[in-house]
Amino acid sequence: MKICTIICELNPLHNGHKYLIERARSLSGCDFTVCVMSGCFTQRGEMCRNDKFVRAAHAVLSGADAVIELPAPFAVAPAEIFARGAVAQLKGLDADLTLAFGCESGCAEEFKEAAYILNAESRLFKRTLADWSERGESYIKSYSAAFTACGGNAELISSPNNILGVEYAKAALQAGLDLTFLPVKRIGAGYRDDGLADNFSSASGIRANADNPAVRRNMPDFSYADFIAARNCDMRFETLATDFLYLCDRENLKRVYGCTEGLENRLKKLAFGNTYDEIIEKASSKRYSKSRIRRILTANLLGLYADETQEFLLSPQPLKVLAVKKDAADKILPLLSSKAGEEKSPTVSKCEEINSRAYALWRYLNAPLSYDNPNEKMILI
């Protein structure tokens, strides 16, 4: 059995996502296409506008055969942990696996080569990274310089999708998972003054221009209808994240990925008398990106801690199926289901509890709900 997998967020699903799913199926020659999708909170620390089951349905309507959930401890984490968590989900699939992902440049072999360089972290890599960091350069720029010094192609780690592609390759190498990599070059026209491209805008561009009718041409009709119908509850979420930063325990804040080197002290000070946007603006710097600060605030709110997530990475997680295509259900569900009667470890139960709690919080912030699935039951499309 050959399965082509796609790791995604679909916040919201747009024409580019649909193109990726279609190309992945066509180029891989797979029997089934399976998406591993973040729940209701993303790697950038944002809250999704649509329910995870609604977004999973969109993936199936766009050509996927099934969607499984990437648990919140991995979904709201730095790129390396996001990738390792997603690849750990793939290990639960007993099949010949291909991983397709959107990229700006590069071929499969280049991504593999980059993974070898970065996993090795040679003396030259570490010395170059330290030298550039000591000069006051950002971590991203220092990391790129170290990668280039070791023979890597800087283009592969200079754009978000390429960076994730490299992290997937690194994670697969670390996990000993035999994956066929299928980079699919992203398509789209140049951006216009309104922040949108012609037919192929990014998800962030669509979110930023949600009130612009032009968004419609960048999304399939079913995805656009649900996206526009959903309430924008960002303000409720941001207020709660700010309040919780003020109330949280400083020691627990230090347990969040990326909250190091005294950053917890700065954030706690900023929590008094500043709005969510002001905290992000004042806490960010060359060293700490806005995405990193946003992710820390969200992880803190959801109780996602690095020490626990490291334990989750070491414990095989059962696959949580969100949606399946009706016509494929009989054949694909046996590949996605946990063994009957298999007892869960305390670590697995803890991860599931945290993930369900994150979903419960999303539902609370978005109430009243247009879609209601409190028991998180798989849906057939």
Side-chain angles (χ1 to χ4, degrees):
M1 190 71 70
K2 187 171 183 180
I3 294 179
C4 186
T5 59
I6 298 170
I7 300 164
C8 54
E9 293 181 326
L10 309 185
N11 180 38
L13 182 141
H14 52 65
N15 292 343
H17 293 131
K18 190 170 186 294
Y19 171 81
L20 174 59
I21 293 171
E22 291 169 348
R23 290 292 287 169
R25 180 182 290 280
S26 171
L27 294 173
S28 68
C30 63
D31 298 298
F32 298 107
T33 304
V34 176
C35 290
V36 180
M37 188 191 78
S38 301
C40 289
F41 298 91
T42 72
Q43 203 260 333
R44 290 185 178 185
E46 296 171 328
M47 182 175 72
C48 293
R49 183 153 167 160
N50 284 117
D51 185 285
K52 62 185 179 183
F53 289 96
V54 172
R55 291 172 18 252
H58 294 165
V60 174
L61 291 170
S62 296
D65 294 294
V67 181
I68 58 180
E69 182 175 6
L70 179 62
F74 310 130
V76 188
E80 179 185 359
I81 305 304
F82 178 94
R84 286 179 61 192
V87 167
Q89 296 288 298
L90 303 187
K91 290 191 77 172
L93 297 171
D94 185 17
D96 179 7
L97 296 176
T98 295
L99 174 60
F101 54 89
C103 66
E104 284 78 15
S105 61
C107 65
E109 287 307 313
E110 286 180 299
F111 281 97
K112 284 184 182 179
E113 183 184 352
Y116 280 110
I117 292 174
L118 294 173
N119 275 340
E121 286 203 352
S122 64
R123 286 184 181 179
L124 174 60
F125 183 93
K126 290 177 180 176
R127 186 172 68 248
T128 307
L129 180 64
D131 288 346
W132 279 66
S133 296
E134 286 170 7
R135 294 182 207 167
E137 299 291 352
S138 68
Y139 180 78
I140 292 173
K141 196 168 183 179
S142 302
Y143 193 78
S144 178
F147 179 57
T148 303
C150 294
N153 176 1
E155 265 191 37
L156 282 184
I157 56 170
S158 63
S159 56
N161 290 283
N162 277 6
I163 289 170
L164 277 174
V166 171
E167 290 297 344
Y168 297 149
K170 284 173 57 184
L173 187 62
Q174 291 167 3
L177 183 61
D178 185 17
L179 277 178
T180 298
F181 293 100
L182 180 57
V184 177
K185 190 168 182 180
R186 299 182 78 202
I187 59 174
Y191 283 87
R192 310 176 323 171
D193 292 340
D194 59 8
L196 295 170
D198 291 324
N199 301 319
F200 288 96
S201 291
S202 66
S204 57
I206 290 170
R207 292 194 303 273
N209 294 276
D211 297 330
N212 188 334
V215 161
R216 185 169 202 145
R217 68 170 180 271
N218 292 279
M219 304 170 69
D221 289 343
F222 52 83
S223 178
Y224 174 78
D226 287 331
F227 178 69
I228 295 302
R231 298 168 62 226
N232 184 349
C233 298
D234 287 348
M235 189 172 294
R236 294 187 68 188
F237 161 67
E238 292 168 2
T239 299
L240 188 60
T242 302
D243 290 344
F244 198 75
L245 177 63
Y246 178 77
L247 294 170
C248 76
D249 180 80
R250 194 182 306 266
E251 292 304 308
N252 275 339
L253 183 58
K254 285 170 63 177
R255 295 170 63 198
V256 172
Y257 275 117
C259 199
T260 56
E261 302 168 335
L263 181 56
E264 73 280 0
N265 297 319
R266 178 161 178 73
L267 288 173
K268 286 294 285 182
K269 286 179 182 177
L270 290 172
F272 186 79
N274 286 291
T275 65
Y276 178 86
D277 287 339
E278 288 169 344
I279 291 170
I280 292 170
E281 191 65 40
K282 293 176 181 178
S284 61
S285 62
K286 269 189 177 183
R287 191 167 184 80
Y288 305 120
S289 69
K290 291 182 180 179
S291 291
R292 178 172 175 175
I293 302 300
R294 211 175 277 116
R295 185 167 53 243
I296 289 171
L297 297 183
T298 301
N300 180 57
L301 173 62
L302 300 178
L304 309 178
Y305 302 123
D307 53 343
E308 292 181 340
T309 302
Q310 290 295 332
E311 291 180 11
F312 300 153
L313 285 169
L314 298 175
S315 300
Q317 301 292 324
L319 303 180
K320 181 173 183 59
V321 184
L322 299 178
V324 176
K325 183 186 290 183
K326 283 181 184 178
D327 295 345
D330 290 344
K331 292 182 178 179
I332 198 168
L333 278 176
L335 301 174
L336 305 178
S337 302
S338 302
K339 295 176 183 176
E342 192 174 77
E343 188 175 347
K344 293 178 184 176
S345 69
T347 304
V348 167
S349 295
K350 177 73 171 177
C351 185
E352 290 182 340
E353 175 193 336
I354 290 172
N355 195 54
S356 286
R357 193 170 64 212
Y359 184 48
L361 179 63
W362 185 92
R363 294 177 70 251
Y364 164 75
L365 289 170
N366 284 270
L369 301 167
S370 57
Y371 178 84
D372 200 6
N373 187 5
N375 296 320
E376 301 187 63
K377 292 182 179 179
M378 180 193 80
I379 58 175
L380 289 172
I381 306 298

